[in-house]
Amino acid sequence: MSNSRALVLLALFLHSLVALVSAQRSNATSRWQTLSGYAPLVVAHGGFSGLFPDSSSVAYSLALLTSLPNVHLWCDVQLTKDEAGICLRDLKLDNNSDIQNVYDKGEKEYLVNGVPTKGWFSVDFTLNDLANVFVTQGIYSRTNKFDGNFYQILTVDDVAKQLKPPGLWLNVQHDAFYKQHNMSMRNYILSVSRRVIINYISSPEAAFLNSIKRRTSPKTKLVFRFLNQDEIEPSTNQTYGSLLKNLTFIKTFASGILVPKYYIWPEVNFYLEPHTSLVLDAHKEKLEVFASEFMNDYPFSFNYSYDPVTEYLNFIDNGDFSVDGVVSDFPITPSEAIDCFAHLGNSTSVQAKPLVISKYGASGDYPGCTDLAYRKAIDDGVDVLDCPVQMSKDGTPFCLSSINLMDSTNVAQTAFSSLTTSVPDIKSGTGIFAFSMTWNDIKTKLRASISSPFADFSLFRNPNYKTSGNFLTLSEFLALTKDAKSLSGILISIEHAAYLAKERKLSVTDAVHNALSKAGFDNQTALKVMIQSGNRSVLMEFKDKQSYELVYEIDKKIRDVDDSTVEDIKKFAHSVVVDKDSVYPENQLFLTGVTGVVKKLQSSKLSVYVETFSNEFVSQAWDFFSDATVEINSFVVGSNIDGVITDFPKTAARYKRNRCLGLGTNTPTYMSPVQPDSLIQLITAPYMPPAEAPNPVLTEKDVAEAPLPPVSLAPPTSGPGGSPGGSAAVSPPPNGQPKFAAGFFLMAMAMATLVASLSLF
């Protein structure tokens, strides 16, 4: 079956991805612990069903385009009333098509595995009846923007003959149901196998596989599919869990088994348990093992830090075993895992240039800016470790992601909640700010709190460690970095300096100067020192430090930079931080193009660092296939950025070492940058996101700024009447100003006198 409009749109899509077409290869030289000794097989579940409607022509085509050369296409076979075999994910057609719009009175109720089930079933429609029924996205958390493209339902013959895949995998899920309707799935499978090459046939019904085992081609492998362990297999009346203990029996009618991934790596509350012996036991019986239910856009174990490549590597390169294949809705990811990242080893050299800069350490795994987050980032291979400097009430500089303690500590649940106040110069609403508490109180009476920026999507970060780790002073941070031989630099971030100087009499720039000098960073070359701020006035305070790299953060999404603005930035900065959207603008998570921001800044000798790269799939445009590695690669190879700022540095550091970089025309498609407007071109008018105003151009006015105000008074130390559980006085603050120990009344008088004296000028 075909449709001219669908084919035109598919051609457009393939044309837009022409840059992806290059020589593909497989990693044949590595040693694999599969049964055959060859690399694991990638099976595209309904094609690239993680993005496009399952079993659609475009889903199958994208899978072929972006996967390993031997990728196999998966087809869930359903039978029509006239016993044609079609590819659709579910027995109920309304779960994967618009059939209810075409046949609004076609709903029926049947017993499916003994359970009354309502829906539209293929057994009630002929193949001709389905000519005007189109496949749609059946998983509602995925985009439905491609549902208007009229992708027709494909037969098994369509997939085999029109797409000509390297391999075809047919899954027969409901043979018993079709028998109830006097249809023979056995006869259909045997018939189609005489017309096309079928590489694998899987089924959760042992009787069905037994019925065809002597009639299929020797080149066709039969695979017994295990469902949930407590479900009953209909022909043996045993649970799948009990059948798992009798692999010798499975061997009598199958050459392999297909299991949900948790059969191999069990999980408790989304944390991994030790792996089972399933793969090793099956290999002893000469049974291949395939793992299923791999989806990039579905929560999986916290041990993987939301990185799907890490998950695949745990199944194919764990040192104990490798599964023989994986069934995935996103076949690009296992392809890159197998060919580019498996068997890297710790000694693999770096293949890509961009700096990996942490965002509050490894804050995707531990509370940001704690000792745990910093040590994890170092272990993960970060190049530059960052410290956003905050100032305590008594003038101690320390590392914390936000000046508002409510963002990253449990302060709101403590007695210090009474310190809640409003500071419009810093943020709208209220907060409890670092300058309201002494360092001793912060360090000893508050606990860190992990950030979960995508909690609205029920994507939480490492809950077992959500309050773990210790806060560090800037001096402690610097000592930690000097001991880390793998680091190439540190990044000190400074914000709100003008407010702190003017309103709180705290000089954060002096504090940073003094800490760096005292730690010996003025007289060393081992670690590059980077000072980052969104304020030119802050960076100007460090202009005399010729060895420092000054990093200007552009805190707005832009589409361009005026030439005069670029020249202005060069007067006080060596590099620039921009948002991802300033490189690849997007509309409702679809990339709409690429800007010239990176090229323009780099042409003026300004390095460009981009933020923030997170692993959670909801942080990425659809164009990146819910894969953080695809996103990083597209920015690095596609836009040549100089650094990635990330809260999951392990993913970016591993990316730099992958073996698929630097291959020129031999670069495989799964390690080629995406084309930034290819997907949105496939969306039909009724589904097109509403137009949005373009991002602004950065002008000199945006960059202009007054110098920092002077600091003439030191902050008071805490004491009676200070913060709850007040602490003893500490040593003079780093800005060198004398201590000013006084109660609230005397402090208010002093401030009033200062204001009066300033008003005379």
Side-chain angles (χ1 to χ4, degrees):
M1 304 173 72
S2 63
N3 177 279
S4 59
R5 179 173 179 175
L7 293 176
V8 169
L9 288 168
L10 178 57
L12 173 63
F13 178 71
L14 296 178
H15 175 74
S16 67
L17 290 180
V18 67
L20 287 179
V21 181
S22 58
Q24 297 189 22
R25 66 198 184 95
S26 62
N27 183 15
T29 60
S30 296
R31 181 179 179 183
W32 292 97
Q33 293 176 291
T34 56
L35 183 62
S36 66
Y38 292 106
L41 181 68
V42 174
V43 184
H45 188 231
F48 210 122
S49 56
L51 181 63
F52 290 110
D54 189 292
S55 306
S56 62
S57 57
V58 69
Y60 283 131
S61 296
L62 183 60
L64 294 173
L65 183 67
T66 60
S67 307
L68 284 167
N70 66 334
V71 63
H72 282 39
L73 299 185
W74 169 290
C75 164
D76 285 294
V77 183
Q78 315 299 340
L79 291 181
T80 64
K81 188 175 183 178
D82 50 348
E83 298 196 54
I86 59 174
C87 297
L88 274 181
R89 187 177 193 125
D90 198 272
L91 182 67
K92 293 173 56 180
L93 302 186
D94 48 308
N95 282 348
N96 195 187
S97 78
D98 67 349
I99 192 168
Q100 62 268 44
N101 298 330
V102 181
Y103 299 102
D104 58 344
K105 296 181 180 180
E107 185 179 36
K108 298 288 182 65
E109 181 176 306
Y110 295 121
L111 286 177
V112 179
N113 294 333
V115 179
T117 305
K118 286 186 176 182
W120 281 256
F121 294 86
S122 61
V123 295
D124 296 316
F125 303 94
T126 66
L127 186 60
N128 189 59
D129 292 336
L130 300 178
N132 293 317
V133 175
F134 306 112
V135 290
T136 59
Q137 181 54 260
I139 297 179
Y140 298 142
S141 61
R142 294 172 178 170
T143 181
N144 70 339
K145 296 298 185 184
F146 306 110
D147 285 358
N149 287 323
F150 305 125
Y151 296 125
Q152 290 190 299
I153 295 174
L154 300 177
T155 65
V156 174
D157 292 83
D158 291 334
V159 175
K161 295 177 181 179
Q162 293 179 15
L163 296 168
K164 296 181 172 56
L168 183 61
W169 185 306
L170 301 185
N171 181 60
V172 176
Q173 196 74 9
H174 297 287
D175 176 57
F177 173 81
Y178 291 109
K179 281 182 179 178
Q180 294 170 14
H181 292 267
N182 298 315
M183 296 182 181
S184 175
M185 181 65 77
R186 174 182 181 274
N187 288 346
Y188 171 75
I189 291 295
L190 295 178
S191 173
V192 75
S193 66
R194 290 191 286 269
R195 301 192 300 271
V196 302
I197 297 175
I198 303 172
N199 301 83
Y200 290 87
I201 300 173
S202 62
S203 177
E205 300 180 17
F208 172 73
L209 294 176
N210 258 314
S211 72
I212 64 172
K213 68 179 182 180
R214 301 186 188 282
R215 300 289 302 276
T216 55
S217 166
K219 295 181 180 180
T220 301
K221 295 184 178 181
L222 304 185
V223 178
F224 182 61
R225 184 177 189 181
F226 283 80
L227 304 182
N228 292 333
Q229 296 199 30
D230 57 352
E231 289 190 51
I232 302 294
E233 195 282 317
S235 58
T236 62
N237 204 33
Q238 296 183 51
T239 66
Y240 288 97
S242 62
L243 286 172
L244 190 65
K245 301 174 183 177
N246 194 356
L247 294 177
T248 303
F249 167 67
I250 305 299
K251 180 65 178 175
T252 62
F253 59 85
S255 62
I257 58 175
L258 172 63
V259 298
K261 59 186 181 182
Y262 65 83
Y263 270 53
I264 300 170
W265 285 100
E267 297 179 14
V268 176
N269 296 325
F270 287 97
Y271 284 95
L272 292 180
E273 297 285 290
H275 67 72
T276 67
S277 62
L278 171 61
V279 177
L280 296 174
D281 293 342
H283 282 175
K284 288 179 182 177
E285 296 290 339
K286 304 303 180 184
L287 285 167
E288 290 185 303
V289 180
F290 301 91
S292 66
E293 301 186 12
F294 287 94
M295 294 172 278
N296 293 2
D297 60 347
Y298 190 81
F300 42 93
S301 172
F302 294 115
N303 298 76
Y304 302 131
S305 301
Y306 290 104
D307 181 357
V309 172
T310 298
E311 180 181 33
Y312 285 109
L313 291 175
N314 205 33
F315 282 82
I316 65 173
D317 185 23
N318 58 52
D320 293 330
F321 60 81
S322 171
V323 297
D324 300 280
V326 293
V327 180
S328 173
D329 289 12
F330 295 83
I332 188 173
T333 305
S335 295
E336 68 192 45
I338 292 168
D339 198 26
C340 307
F341 294 102
H343 311 132
L344 280 184
N346 295 327
S347 60
T348 306
S349 59
V350 170
Q351 303 293 323
K353 71 166 188 178
L355 288 176
V356 177
I357 305 170
S358 68
K359 186 77 168 181
Y360 320 139
S363 57
D365 294 299
Y366 295 105
C369 300
T370 60
D371 56 341
L372 292 179
Y374 284 137
R375 294 187 186 281
K376 177 72 163 58
I378 293 170
D379 291 343
D380 288 344
V382 73
D383 297 315
V384 178
L385 202 64
D386 75 307
C387 168
V389 176
Q390 313 301 338
M391 296 292 288
S392 67
K393 183 177 182 178
D394 48 359
T396 301
F398 65 101
C399 304
L400 199 65
S401 60
S402 172
I403 194 172
N404 183 5
L405 299 175
M406 296 177 70
D407 292 338
S408 52
T409 77
N410 69 332
V411 66
Q413 288 77 50
T414 71
F416 296 99
S417 61
S418 61
L419 296 177
T420 301
T421 187
S422 175
V423 183
D425 288 347
I426 293 179
K427 68 182 294 289
S428 60
T430 60
I432 302 173
F433 299 96
F435 51 74
S436 299
M437 294 181 61
T438 66
W439 166 243
N440 189 64
D441 283 342
I442 293 170
K443 181 178 182 179
T444 62
K445 298 177 181 177
L446 300 186
R447 297 175 66 185
S449 178
I450 199 167
S451 170
S452 290
F454 307 104
D456 289 347
F457 298 91
S458 297
L459 299 177
F460 300 95
R461 291 179 171 178
N462 205 4
N464 281 2
Y465 294 88
K466 63 182 179 181
T467 60
S468 300
N470 301 309
F471 303 122
L472 300 179
T473 64
L474 176 56
S475 296
E476 291 169 336
F477 169 83
L478 296 175
L480 172 67
T481 60
K482 291 186 77 171
D483 290 337
K485 305 303 182 184
S486 60
L487 290 177
S488 62
I490 59 171
L491 184 147
I492 308 299
S493 179
I494 302 172
E495 302 299 339
H496 309 297
Y499 172 83
L500 291 172
K502 181 179 179 182
E503 304 295 339
R504 299 292 165 173
K505 306 308 169 188
L506 294 168
S507 176
V508 61
T509 54
D510 283 353
V512 171
H513 268 300
N514 294 340
L516 287 169
S517 179
K518 185 176 180 179
F521 278 82
D522 288 345
N523 304 308
Q524 58 85 47
T525 57
L527 288 176
K528 176 167 65 174
V529 176
M530 304 166 71
I531 306 294
Q532 176 180 314
S533 181
N535 301 107
R536 71 183 295 161
S537 57
V538 169
L539 299 181
M540 291 298 293
E541 293 291 314
F542 294 87
K543 282 291 288 183
D544 62 323
K545 299 295 184 181
Q546 300 298 319
S547 61
Y548 291 2
E549 179 180 340
L550 305 183
V551 185
Y552 181 54
E553 181 179 5
I554 299 174
D555 59 0
K556 60 193 298 185
K557 298 175 181 179
I558 60 174
R559 72 175 187 273
D560 199 359
V561 187
D562 282 346
D563 292 340
S564 58
T565 307
V566 175
E567 292 305 310
D568 193 17
I569 293 173
K570 288 174 61 178
K571 296 175 183 176
F572 61 86
H574 307 103
S575 53
V576 174
V577 172
V578 299
D579 185 87
K580 291 190 298 185
D581 206 68
S582 297
V583 182
Y584 293 123
E586 61 182 52
N587 185 354
Q588 291 191 6
L589 294 179
F590 285 95
L591 299 185
T592 59
V594 59
T595 71
V597 169
V598 174
K599 286 184 178 179
K600 177 173 283 190
L601 293 170
Q602 289 178 338
S603 66
S604 294
K605 309 303 181 184
L606 289 167
S607 298
V608 181
Y609 310 127
V610 180
E611 66 175 4
T612 301
F613 290 87
S614 298
N615 283 358
E616 289 94 341
F617 62 90
V618 294
S619 71
Q620 301 144 13
W622 295 110
D623 304 68
F624 300 128
F625 310 132
S626 301
D627 184 333
T629 299
V630 173
E631 180 182 44
I632 292 170
N633 182 64
S634 294
F635 277 85
V636 172
V637 178
S639 286
N640 195 37
I641 65 174
D642 297 288
V644 297
I645 300 174
T646 174
D647 34 21
F648 292 93
K650 182 177 182 179
T651 301
R654 183 191 59 209
Y655 161 76
K656 291 175 58 175
R657 296 187 297 115
N658 90 75
R659 67 172 64 86
C660 294
L661 295 173
L663 299 178
T665 57
N666 291 322
T667 300
T669 56
Y670 34 86
M671 200 50 63
S672 299
V674 304
Q675 301 306 296
D677 62 348
S678 57
L679 290 185
I680 202 166
Q681 292 186 49
L682 281 177
I683 302 175
T684 56
Y687 289 85
M688 187 67 71
E692 294 182 345
N695 292 330
V697 175
L698 193 72
T699 66
E700 287 187 81
K701 183 179 179 181
D702 297 315
V703 176
E705 189 175 292
L708 286 179
V711 177
S712 58
L713 289 176
T717 58
S718 60
S723 58
S727 306
V730 297
S731 57
N735 61 14
Q737 302 297 329
K739 290 186 293 183
F740 189 82
F744 175 82
F745 178 73
L746 290 178
M747 182 61 182
M749 289 183 62
M751 290 296 294
T753 302
L754 175 64
V755 171
S757 64
L758 291 175
S759 67
L760 297 177
F761 291 90

